[in-house]
Every structure is written in structure tokens, then in C-alpha cells.
Amino acid sequence: MSLGEWLRFAQLSLLAGWLASLSLGLASRPAIQPAAAGQRQRRSTAMLLAAVATLTAAQLGVALSAASGPLTPIGAVLAAIVMSPYGVLSLVLLLTTVIAAALSWRQSLTPAHASLGGLVILLVCGAVALTSGPAVEAAATAGEIVMSPTLTVPRSLITLKDPYAGDPASAARGKIVYQQNCQVCHGIAGDGRGPAGANLRIPPASFHNPQHFQSPAMDGPHFWVIQHGDGQLSGMPAWQGKLTDQQIWDVLNYVKVLSGLGSTASTRSPSP
């Protein structure tokens, strides 16, 4: 189970146990209950509801963290999460539990009202659990990723997977493609200092930035950039139609080696 699922399990378990104890208490409660006992019960209810509110806030934090990434700050997905059905329900749940906890602590919440409110809170918790996954997935793929000062790509590309990931032969093939097509601008070592790059208005990118390549989620965006270029005059050209999809994946896997993430031993050219 993920952290978010554990938090939801703890939350639902607390509420279910509390509602069960309230139901038993209402059924067996004497006509006249000692004031001290009633006060202890209301204080316990307030603390339980505060725990539920805390778990709700923690789940929101986990959802934001899951939807963000190394190149996608939490601020970029905050609005998408908060405005989703999951976010709205979570905020309603958080506000409701805080108000109910305050009322119970001030002894303004009767056991009968607590039971009714607890049932409503439990139902909202269930709805939150059902909508969390789609909300995180939608937020994680919404909007754009900034690839450079002049280029953004759709964030939905993070779902595009490298079919040759982990294949040393792919990087070896990619080295040949790189030497034939990319080295003249990006340089032998991938530092952006190739001889042809010096005359370009937009300097070629350096690949010596592992942060851009260490996450598998960035494979799709980089594949798109190689396919389509950056659309700028004297910028990165589009290689779609000139290179096959496999060649693009291969050269991307070699670029990962240049970024320092792969083993240079895997870049030997394949035997003819």
C-alpha cells in the first residue's frame, strides 16, 4: 500500500470505530449520564475529529507530492488538485471535521448529532478515496513542462515510455546516430560546444544536466523535442521523418550516457 492509501485506511478505520462506539453508546446510554463522563466523551470525540482532519491534510500533501516531480513544482499542480472533485471534497471534509471538533470540544455537539455528522463525514471520506487517484493522474499530466527558455512541451508526454530503456544495445546504436547527426552542434561530449553550434543564434543544449534525464517521466518530453525541434529559427531542428522512432529512442539513450547516468562501456558500437 502507498502512503496515501495507508492514511486513508487509518482515517476510515478511526471513523468506523468511532461510529460503532457512538451507536453502542446511544443504545446503552443511561437516561442520566454523569457530567464528567459526558465531558470526557465529547473531548475524546473532538480529538478524534482533529486526527481525521490532520489525516485529510496529510493526504492532500501526499497527493500534491505524487502529482509533482523534479521539473514540476508543487505550485504547478496545486490549482489542478484543489479544483478537482478530490480537492473540493477534501477541503469540505477538512473544514467539516475542524468545525465538528471545535463544537465537540466546547460541548455543543450532542451524541446524536455526532453520530449523524460522523456518518456524513464517513461518506465524504469514501468519496475522497474514490476520486484521489484520477485527480492525481490528471494533475500530473496537465499543463506544460518548461524544457528551455524558448520551449515548453505538454506534460501529458510523461506517460510516454522508452521502449528501449535499460538496453545497452540501444545506447550503442544511438552513439552512431549522434555522431552522424547531433555531434556537430552538441559536441563530442554533449556539452553543447560543437563546431556548428557556435554560429547558431540559440546555443545548442548541453546534456551535462542529469536532473533532466534521471527521471523516466522525462523520456517522453525529450523524445518529443527530438521529433519536433524547438520551432525557433536557428534552433533545434525537427528530426521527425529524418530519423525513425527507434533511432530517436536510441540517440536519447546515448544522450543519457553523455549526461553521466550510463556506463561508457555500454556505448561500444555494435558489430556489423
Side-chain angles (χ1 to χ4, degrees):
M1 292 176 66
S2 65
L3 177 58
E5 290 170 336
W6 275 114
L7 291 172
R8 282 191 291 274
F9 175 77
Q11 186 181 56
L12 293 170
S13 297
L14 278 176
L15 284 171
W18 174 53
L19 283 174
S21 66
L22 280 177
S23 300
L24 292 174
L26 286 174
S28 60
R29 188 166 68 95
I32 300 178
Q33 188 179 29
Q39 184 179 23
R40 285 195 300 271
Q41 184 182 48
R42 285 188 287 269
R43 293 291 172 88
S44 297
T45 296
M47 289 188 288
L48 184 142
L49 289 171
V52 171
T54 302
L55 289 169
T56 301
Q59 288 176 53
L60 272 172
V62 169
L64 287 170
S65 178
S68 61
L71 300 179
T72 308
I74 287 180
V77 299
L78 179 60
I81 288 287
V82 171
M83 298 304 292
S84 68
Y86 164 74
V88 172
L89 287 169
S90 294
L91 292 177
V92 168
L93 178 61
L94 185 61
L95 182 61
T96 301
T97 49
V98 168
I99 292 174
L103 290 175
S104 183
W105 188 264
R106 295 176 58 186
Q107 303 180 25
S108 302
L109 193 66
T110 66
H113 289 155
S115 296
L116 179 60
L119 181 59
V120 172
I121 290 173
L122 183 62
L123 292 174
V124 175
C125 279
V128 167
L130 291 174
T131 55
S132 61
V136 169
E137 183 178 350
T141 57
E144 297 179 324
I145 296 175
V146 177
M147 302 295 287
S148 75
T150 60
L151 177 63
T152 60
V153 301
R155 187 172 286 121
S156 58
L157 289 167
I158 66 174
T159 60
L160 183 62
K161 304 301 181 184
D162 179 359
Y164 305 99
D167 179 6
S170 176
R173 294 191 302 265
K175 180 178 181 179
I176 298 174
V177 177
Y178 182 89
Q179 291 173 336
Q180 293 174 343
N181 301 281
C182 315
Q183 182 173 298
V184 66
C185 289
H186 291 282
I188 295 175
D191 55 7
R193 298 180 180 179
N199 300 319
L200 297 179
R201 184 173 59 86
I202 300 176
S206 168
F207 302 131
H208 295 179
N209 185 356
Q211 182 185 19
H212 275 265
F213 298 94
Q214 63 187 357
S215 172
M218 293 305 298
D219 289 342
H222 285 298
F223 179 84
W224 190 97
V225 171
I226 298 172
Q227 273 191 321
H228 300 280
D230 64 7
Q232 302 293 318
L233 187 65
S234 295
M236 170 76 177
W239 290 96
Q240 191 174 38
K242 302 173 185 177
L243 297 177
T244 65
D245 285 358
Q246 179 177 331
Q247 287 176 313
I248 293 176
W249 285 120
D250 288 343
V251 78
L252 176 56
N253 286 323
Y254 178 67
V255 165
K256 291 180 184 180
V257 174
L258 292 178
S259 76
L261 297 181
S263 169
T264 54
S266 69
T267 63
R268 293 191 301 267
S269 299
S271 301

